[in-house]
Amino acid sequence: MGEVVDSSAFIQSTEHRPKPTSTLEAEGIPLIDLSALNSSNSDAIASLVAEIGDACEKWGFFQVINHGVPLECREKIESVSRKFFGQSMEDKSRVRRDELNPMGYYDGEHTKNVRDWKEVFDFVVEVPTVIPASPEPGDKELTMLHNQWPEFPPNFRDACEEYTRETEKLSYKLLELISLSLGLPESRFNNFFKDQTSFLRLNYYPRCPIPHLALGVGHHKDAGGLTVLAQDDVGGLEVKRKTDGEWIRVKPTPDAYIVNVGDIIQVWSNDKYESVEHRVTVNSERDRFSIPFFFNPAHYTVLEPVAELVNEENPAKYKAFNWGKFVSARNLSNFKKLHVENIQIYHFRKSE
């Protein structure tokens, strides 16, 4: 990747390596048509809400088509992403991120303490985005995240910002459908995203000489609210099937988005919907590009199961915790190899 690297940093422990046999293609991951959103047919919308709820419960993942994001807008961001990552390491490093500003280019991310075979470029949706300066509970200091935009390609920033506006609209629609599927009012969760900490990532997975030993992204769950992913035709995303723990490859569907619920929705739904493990395999023949939009609430959001879903028979399974502090603790591991497991939502689980 760019410079010559020691490949041993990328080698997964035996149990996490991709299997040499072809992974099961995910016929199972639901493909959901959102065109009912443009109709006034209440039966069609009720049916869509039920489909979304079923997918969230059984898989934690689904794909959407007829989602309203213009294809041209997606093609533009895919084009500038390829051009940006195609530059020399020296050029990309002009917008390299660091611990003070985690936005920009980076090529040394770790998942579960193993280095990922990928390069990324991150930018926030709200400018500036406000987050806690540290994960320490008593520290009230806040820090502001600013985007770093490269000079090349010249239309990079415009393409990114236009795409983000469209994906954000889709994310709100999906959030409302998920809320309805839980039996809650459509806009129950919307206010949490007023000062959102959402960000968009451009991923580049170069061809890898050791695809049987390394992963583009190791097995993990997404910490935020929703992830809305565009992947190219190379594919590589694998989801852990809840019924048997098998890794299922998500087959690329042209112009579809892959959506998964994150830890926040697992907490809000009091475990009705689960944030599911996934990973990305690499390819020895082709580069792969993908674009996840991480839809996340304001840093001051206190996360706990929503009151309407909690009762005597179904008590709250989580203690309340602060989203900003949680995510700033998790982000430490992106820069250094930690010798402990990163913080997870189960650390806030109430004992039975």
Side-chain angles (χ1 to χ4, degrees):
M1 296 199 309
E3 79 281 32
V4 176
V5 290
D6 170 16
S7 62
S8 65
F10 298 92
I11 292 178
Q12 295 282 332
S13 58
T14 314
E15 73 273 24
H16 295 308
R17 291 175 192 170
K19 288 183 185 158
T21 53
S22 65
T23 310
L24 301 161
E25 283 267 290
E27 295 310 319
I29 288 181
L31 183 66
I32 298 177
D33 185 338
L34 295 183
S35 48
L37 287 175
N38 303 319
S39 79
S40 50
N41 180 335
S42 56
D43 289 348
I45 291 170
S47 166
L48 172 59
V49 167
E51 228 182 318
I52 293 269
D54 193 54
C56 289
E57 206 162 341
K58 289 185 180 154
W59 284 93
F61 268 81
F62 52 94
Q63 297 197 65
V64 292
I65 53 171
N66 296 319
H67 42 66
V69 177
L71 182 57
E72 178 197 9
C73 178
R74 176 163 164 176
E75 286 170 342
K76 271 192 221 162
I77 195 171
E78 286 174 345
S79 166
V80 297
S81 175
R82 285 172 185 272
K83 286 176 184 163
F84 172 77
F85 287 117
Q87 299 180 97
S88 70
M89 183 55 74
E90 185 187 357
D91 287 336
K92 289 182 281 199
S93 292
R94 292 194 178 112
V95 287
R96 183 177 281 277
R97 77 185 200 192
D98 55 38
E99 287 195 47
L100 292 176
N101 183 11
M103 294 300 117
Y105 171 77
Y106 197 57
D107 66 343
E109 194 149 89
H110 287 71
T111 302
K112 304 287 185 199
N113 286 327
V114 183
R115 191 164 163 191
D116 297 326
W117 189 274
K118 67 172 180 183
E119 299 176 21
V120 303
F121 180 89
D122 290 343
F123 61 95
V124 286
V125 174
E126 292 279 319
V127 183
T129 288
V130 179
I131 59 163
S134 84
E136 298 308 319
D139 185 355
K140 299 283 185 271
E141 193 188 338
L142 298 171
T143 186
M144 290 187 185
L145 302 181
H146 293 276
N147 292 329
Q148 303 191 69
W149 297 109
E151 288 176 17
F152 179 86
N155 57 334
F156 185 88
R157 179 176 179 170
D158 287 349
C160 288
E161 289 180 340
E162 181 193 357
Y163 177 82
T164 305
R165 281 192 292 276
E166 295 295 340
T167 325
E168 183 187 5
K169 280 185 221 161
L170 172 59
S171 301
Y172 272 111
K173 282 186 211 163
L174 293 165
L175 187 70
E176 288 168 356
L177 289 168
I178 287 168
S179 187
L180 289 169
S181 76
L182 288 165
L184 300 168
E186 184 177 53
S187 58
R188 176 66 174 84
F189 299 121
N190 291 22
N191 284 343
F192 292 116
F193 292 82
K194 187 167 78 77
D195 299 313
Q196 61 185 306
T197 54
S198 306
F199 70 99
L200 195 125
R201 164 167 289 180
L202 306 177
N203 278 321
Y204 166 48
Y205 302 96
R207 278 167 286 191
C208 177
I210 49 166
H212 55 299
L213 298 176
L215 286 168
V217 185
H219 68 108
H220 68 287
K221 298 181 176 194
D222 289 349
L226 284 177
T227 305
V228 178
L229 172 79
Q231 68 166 345
D232 66 13
D233 62 341
V234 175
L237 175 68
E238 294 184 353
V239 173
K240 200 172 208 177
R241 187 161 55 192
K242 285 174 69 172
T243 50
D244 57 6
E246 279 289 341
W247 286 106
I248 304 290
R249 166 89 35 125
V250 182
K251 192 174 181 178
T253 301
D255 194 31
Y257 283 93
I258 299 162
V259 181
N260 62 288
V261 300
D263 289 346
I264 288 176
I265 288 188
Q266 179 167 334
V267 172
W268 279 339
S269 73
N270 206 27
D271 280 354
K272 184 172 171 68
Y273 298 162
E274 193 185 333
S275 173
V276 170
E277 266 196 313
H278 50 288
R279 68 183 187 184
V280 176
T281 59
V282 279
N283 191 302
S284 58
E285 278 131 45
R286 294 179 67 192
D287 295 340
R288 174 179 182 259
F289 295 85
S290 75
I291 307 169
F293 177 75
F294 297 101
F295 191 43
N296 297 334
H299 75 88
Y300 49 75
T301 305
V302 175
L303 296 176
E304 59 189 328
V306 296
E308 300 94 313
L309 301 179
V310 172
N311 53 40
E312 270 181 48
E313 293 81 64
N314 187 27
K317 296 186 170 75
Y318 297 91
K319 297 179 281 218
F321 62 98
N322 172 272
W323 161 246
K325 291 293 184 187
F326 176 70
V327 80
S328 62
R330 280 184 62 122
N331 285 347
L332 290 175
S333 73
N334 291 342
F335 294 98
K336 37 177 130 9
K337 187 164 175 160
L338 302 178
H339 295 289
V340 293
E341 193 203 10
N342 210 341
I343 193 164
Q344 306 289 343
I345 53 171
Y346 65 71
H347 292 123
F348 299 95
R349 206 175 255 289
K350 293 185 172 185
S351 52
E352 296 301 326

